[in-house]
Amino acid sequence: MLDDNIKSQLKVYFEKIVSPIILTATLDASSSASEMLELLNEVAEQSDKITVKTDGNAKNSPSFTVGKVDEVARITFSGLPMGHEMTSFILAILQASGYPPKVEEEVIRRIRKLDGKFRFQTFISLSCHNCPDVVQALNLMSALNPNIEHEMIDGALFQGLVDQHQIMAVPTVILNGEVFGQGRMGAEEIIAKLDTGNADEEAAKLNAKETFDVLVIGGGPAGSAAAIYAARKGIRTGIIAERFGGQLMDTLGIENFISVKETEGPKLVQALEQHVKSYDVDIMNLQRANVLRKVDDGIEVEMVNGGVLKSKAIILSTGARWREMNVPGEQEYRNKGVAYCPHCDGPLFKGKRVAVIGGGNSGVEAAIDLAGLVSHVTLIEFDSKLRADAVLQKKLMSLPNITIITSALTKEVLGDGAKVNSLRYEDRTNSTTHTLELEGIFVQIGLLPNTDWIKGVVDLSKHGEVLVDHKGETSMAGVFAAGDCTTVPFKQIIIAMGDGAKASLAAFDYLIRSPVKEAEKAIAA
């Protein structure tokens, strides 16, 4: 199952094991159970500190636990941790053994102080690139706090559990039997949801910070580039982000980032974060800006938690999010059949009928991907023709289980109260209404800028984008903008990075040309 190269790597990793580990399997007569036992034995062969037992009595089978010899195991894998989840398995072994995790001491402190009993279950698909972050975060928390347990569940293998919990999107996290959250989450985000009394403490930390020279709002490609360029000027630089990496964290294949032939969003985000951290940049993650205002001594940014930061110049790089259909039923059935990531959620719809909304590149790519998993895909496009690249359209037309409907206006998402069962659309050529029976809808209709919080503060276009000039300047002095939240055309990673660098240079130019206050003159003298 494991090739010689992987086995060699495991031998090196497992030299870091602190205390002996037992992998306890609960098996049945299925082929998946046989594969699981084969994997566990091959892994155990790479270290004399790992033992495999097959006397488990877990509720879900096939599954296995990871734990120290002298402790009750708190980490469970229900399903085969291959693909993206192989790393989760290796880290679980190391961290359960007592090997120190590569996270900040403050995060470790907050995990250990969590009080109560927490039993987490994370439903994943092995093709999901968001799922490992959640699995690894909860495994880490389980390794550090005896009050926390975590079970990874492969939704494709345990369809009964998926139906029982009505899981229609991954990753979905269940806490003590109730839905806790969906989508990518790191340890800090999970802790923040559990430790709600920490908001005041976080706000106080923000209020205590000195005024920045440049404060970047948004941690995607544009924000990262802006922070790096500002820090290289030797000025006090900060960056706040609701989620470092932004939408790039949800991007799978990247093949047009010049000089890098092929990569994935999360890998690029990791490289960006490491680059930013190599400079003297104050990174404030999991912070959402709420108010932007001009004050006598600069600009203030107020966070949702009430904390306030001050800066002499601001760079807005808040990016964009998936555009929604804004039709009745969409929000009601979000993650109950309405999805936005075919790579993550596609496996949950295996053998079912789905629709893809949108005939651009992303929509056609989604339809092609899903065609290999589901029984049938209906591609619905508002325009009279598809807008995707010709090579993608050719591939689309070659697939036998795809129907294309153009000149169609989506009117309503319908369901039985628990999940989607149909979609109503209007034929724009004759105004007739049709109902399409299906079990999933994947929305791929472009992006919407994250600028709602600055409406009326800086000038926006009719599409909600920040109006900028050739240097990234906005309508407010000292405030610059870059990336997908602006009117700059062509929303691409490499363009966003260039935009961020340009806005940062423009902000520095603004600072050095700003009048020096009398008090600062006196200090300088």
Side-chain angles (χ1 to χ4, degrees):
M1 179 171 286
L2 301 178
D3 61 35
D4 291 340
N5 182 47
I6 293 177
K7 290 179 180 178
S8 297
Q9 292 180 39
L10 290 180
K11 286 182 184 294
V12 175
Y13 290 139
F14 291 160
E15 289 177 0
K16 302 174 183 178
I17 293 176
V18 178
S19 299
I21 287 292
I22 291 183
L23 306 177
T24 304
T26 299
L27 304 173
D28 51 29
S30 67
S31 59
S32 297
S34 298
E35 291 177 9
M36 179 176 289
L37 183 58
E38 181 183 355
L39 172 65
L40 297 183
N41 284 330
E42 288 189 10
V43 167
E45 288 171 1
Q46 312 315 311
S47 173
D48 58 7
K49 291 185 177 180
I50 301 177
T51 303
V52 176
K53 295 175 62 178
T54 57
D55 58 352
N57 58 357
K59 183 177 180 180
N60 297 323
S61 177
S63 65
F64 67 92
T65 60
V66 180
K68 286 183 182 179
V69 170
D70 56 348
E71 288 185 357
V72 175
R74 301 190 295 274
I75 298 173
T76 303
F77 288 87
S78 292
L80 210 60
M82 300 301 287
H84 295 299
E85 295 298 350
M86 187 64 182
T87 301
S88 302
F89 180 23
I90 296 168
L91 286 174
I93 291 173
L94 294 176
Q95 291 167 357
S97 81
Y99 183 77
K102 294 182 179 179
V103 296
E104 296 179 1
E105 284 299 322
E106 174 62 15
V107 174
I108 295 175
R109 182 189 70 81
R110 292 184 63 190
I111 291 173
R112 285 179 168 155
K113 81 167 191 175
L114 288 171
D115 190 26
K117 287 291 184 181
F118 306 97
R119 184 174 186 275
F120 288 99
Q121 295 172 298
T122 302
F123 285 83
I124 63 100
S125 69
L126 294 178
S127 62
C128 170
H129 57 285
N130 290 325
C131 294
D133 278 7
V134 182
V135 171
Q136 290 164 28
L138 288 168
N139 283 348
L140 167 65
M141 293 173 66
S142 300
L144 293 174
N145 189 327
N147 294 319
I148 301 174
E149 300 176 23
H150 177 238
E151 178 184 12
M152 181 213 83
I153 301 175
D154 181 359
L157 191 60
F158 291 91
Q159 192 63 48
L161 289 176
V162 168
D163 294 339
Q164 175 187 331
H165 291 282
Q166 298 181 350
I167 305 296
M168 310 259 337
V170 292
T172 291
V173 178
I174 306 293
L175 171 58
N176 298 336
E178 302 292 334
V179 175
F180 174 77
Q182 294 174 315
R184 181 189 292 271
M185 290 182 285
E188 291 180 85
E189 293 171 88
I190 296 169
I191 296 166
K193 290 189 71 172
L194 296 173
D195 188 12
T196 55
N198 197 57
D200 291 342
E201 182 181 335
E202 287 297 311
K205 288 180 182 178
L206 296 178
N207 292 334
K209 293 183 182 291
E210 296 180 7
T211 300
F212 291 95
D213 291 309
V214 170
L215 179 62
V216 181
I217 305 176
S224 298
I228 289 169
Y229 265 72
R232 286 175 59 86
K233 293 296 185 181
I235 59 179
R236 179 167 166 72
T237 304
I239 181 170
I240 59 175
E242 190 171 352
R243 180 181 66 158
F244 196 94
Q247 193 185 34
L248 189 55
M249 291 291 282
D250 302 322
T251 303
L252 189 57
I254 299 172
E255 299 177 353
N256 58 356
F257 187 62
I258 310 305
S259 83
V260 179
K261 185 177 179 181
E262 183 178 353
T263 187
E264 294 180 350
K267 290 181 180 179
L268 184 53
V269 169
Q270 185 178 31
L272 287 174
E273 189 169 12
Q274 289 174 349
H275 198 174
V276 173
K277 285 181 175 179
S278 69
Y279 291 95
D280 188 16
V281 177
D282 188 345
I283 301 175
M284 295 158 278
N285 200 17
L286 304 182
Q287 300 292 340
R288 184 176 181 181
N290 190 43
V291 178
L292 178 71
R293 54 178 171 257
K294 197 84 169 178
V295 293
D296 290 340
D297 55 349
I299 305 164
E300 283 186 350
V301 181
E302 183 178 330
M303 305 296 138
V304 169
N305 64 13
V308 176
L309 296 170
K310 291 184 178 181
S311 185
K312 297 173 185 176
I314 296 287
I315 298 176
L316 302 170
S317 57
T318 50
R321 62 190 183 276
W322 292 117
R323 186 181 296 275
E324 298 176 349
M325 296 181 292
N326 292 319
V327 299
E330 180 178 16
Q331 293 305 318
E332 180 183 353
Y333 292 104
R334 189 184 182 100
N335 295 324
K336 296 178 180 179
V338 176
Y340 300 85
C341 180
H343 300 294
C344 301
D345 300 333
L348 298 175
F349 294 84
K350 185 177 181 179
K352 299 179 179 180
R353 299 178 63 87
V354 304
V356 172
I357 312 299
N361 281 350
S362 60
V364 171
E365 287 174 353
I368 293 170
D369 287 346
L370 289 166
L373 293 169
V374 304
S375 65
H376 190 271
V377 180
T378 302
L379 180 67
I380 297 177
E381 165 58 32
F382 177 82
D383 203 351
S384 59
K385 59 183 179 181
L386 302 184
R387 294 167 285 108
D389 294 342
V391 64
L392 292 175
Q393 292 194 43
K394 185 176 180 180
K395 174 64 175 177
L396 182 76
M397 305 294 184
S398 71
L399 299 174
N401 61 336
I402 291 181
T403 300
I404 300 168
I405 301 176
T406 57
S407 299
L409 173 62
T410 303
K411 300 291 288 185
E412 186 176 6
V413 174
L414 303 170
D416 60 7
K419 57 186 178 180
V420 167
N421 60 24
S422 57
L423 172 73
R424 189 165 62 86
Y425 71 92
E426 178 185 300
D427 185 334
R428 296 176 56 237
T429 63
N430 55 25
S431 299
T432 57
T433 299
H434 304 269
T435 299
L436 187 66
E437 293 186 0
L438 42 68
E439 291 134 307
I441 301 168
F442 290 83
V443 183
Q444 300 282 289
I445 54 176
L447 302 172
L448 196 65
N450 296 317
T451 57
D452 294 343
W453 67 287
I454 49 174
K455 284 181 179 178
V457 180
V458 298
D459 290 345
L460 305 178
S461 73
K462 64 179 181 179
H463 300 296
E465 300 166 319
V466 181
L467 291 167
V468 292
D469 66 9
H470 63 287
K471 293 197 298 183
E473 292 182 293
T474 73
S475 59
M476 179 184 287
V479 177
F480 302 80
D484 288 1
C485 69
T486 74
T487 50
V488 171
F490 311 120
K491 313 304 186 186
Q492 299 290 309
I493 296 168
I494 198 163
I495 292 175
M497 286 184 175
D499 251 13
K502 179 175 64 177
S504 190
L505 293 172
F508 181 72
D509 186 63
Y510 165 82
L511 291 174
I512 63 176
R513 295 176 186 277
S514 297
V516 179
K517 295 181 180 180
E518 293 303 320
E520 292 175 340
K521 289 181 181 178
I523 292 173

